[in-house]
Amino acid sequence: MDMRRIVAVLAEEAEQQIQGRVWELLPSDHALALEAEAGLRKAVGLSDIQEELPQIKRLEHLREALAVLAACLARTRGRLAWFLSGAANALEPVLRWRALPAGAGGTFDTFLPSPEEYAEAEDAVRRLQGALALITGSGDPGDPGRRPDGA
């Protein structure tokens, strides 16, 4: 299953739990989910902007998104932690990517991802951002790349 599909399944489950009132965010979780949403939005921009960047910057942005998820995951528990854990797990392949040629010597089991793999991971981050916007009620889940400031 690709990253986009895993994230879509996570987002769907979150939406069902929220609509079914199985998952109601505590105020502290709401603030943390808003922080995660903003961090993901800042890390990975809109597709037309990301695609123009050198691969090393694209990888840097994807790693920043993983860092946002990890930092927020470390500060919560329960359903939000489970959601963030699933999100980080979906993006796990990014941890084995590199943007530089290997040269002489080993690569520590890393590889150069294709442009399609970058696009898939970036789309997954945007979908996560959209899911967090839905969870917090701060945005339109139908437009995961939309920024609250209209940009």
Side-chain angles (χ1 to χ4, degrees):
M1 195 178 312
D2 72 19
M3 287 180 247
R4 284 182 284 229
R5 182 70 191 127
I6 294 169
V7 169
V9 169
L10 285 171
E12 184 178 309
E13 183 177 352
E15 185 175 354
Q16 289 172 353
Q17 288 188 19
I18 289 166
Q19 288 178 351
R21 299 193 188 273
V22 173
W23 183 9
E24 294 187 25
L25 287 177
L26 299 172
S28 60
D29 281 345
H30 188 269
L32 193 60
L34 282 171
E35 180 183 326
E37 187 271 334
L40 293 177
R41 185 173 6 99
K42 182 179 176 189
V44 174
L46 300 173
S47 61
D48 56 340
I49 295 169
Q50 287 297 125
E51 290 171 2
E52 296 296 320
L53 296 174
Q55 288 186 349
I56 197 162
K57 291 303 285 182
R58 290 176 82 176
L59 183 55
E60 179 182 309
H61 291 183
L62 288 166
R63 288 176 178 164
E64 286 175 16
L66 276 163
V68 166
L69 292 171
C72 290
L73 175 60
R75 298 183 358 240
T76 191
R77 63 193 183 298
R79 293 187 193 281
L80 182 58
W82 304 338
F83 177 81
L84 294 175
S85 176
N89 189 54
L91 294 172
E92 182 272 336
V94 170
L95 296 174
R96 293 188 311 274
W97 293 1
R98 61 184 165 84
L100 301 173
T107 64
F108 301 98
D109 200 29
T110 61
F111 65 94
L112 297 168
S114 69
E116 294 80 18
E117 288 171 308
Y118 276 108
E120 176 188 334
E122 291 161 350
D123 287 346
V125 170
R126 286 186 209 96
R127 182 63 180 100
L128 284 170
Q129 184 262 320
L132 286 162
L134 172 70
I135 289 167
T136 60
S138 66
D140 177 5
D143 186 7
R146 186 192 68 77
R147 296 171 182 240
D149 61 7

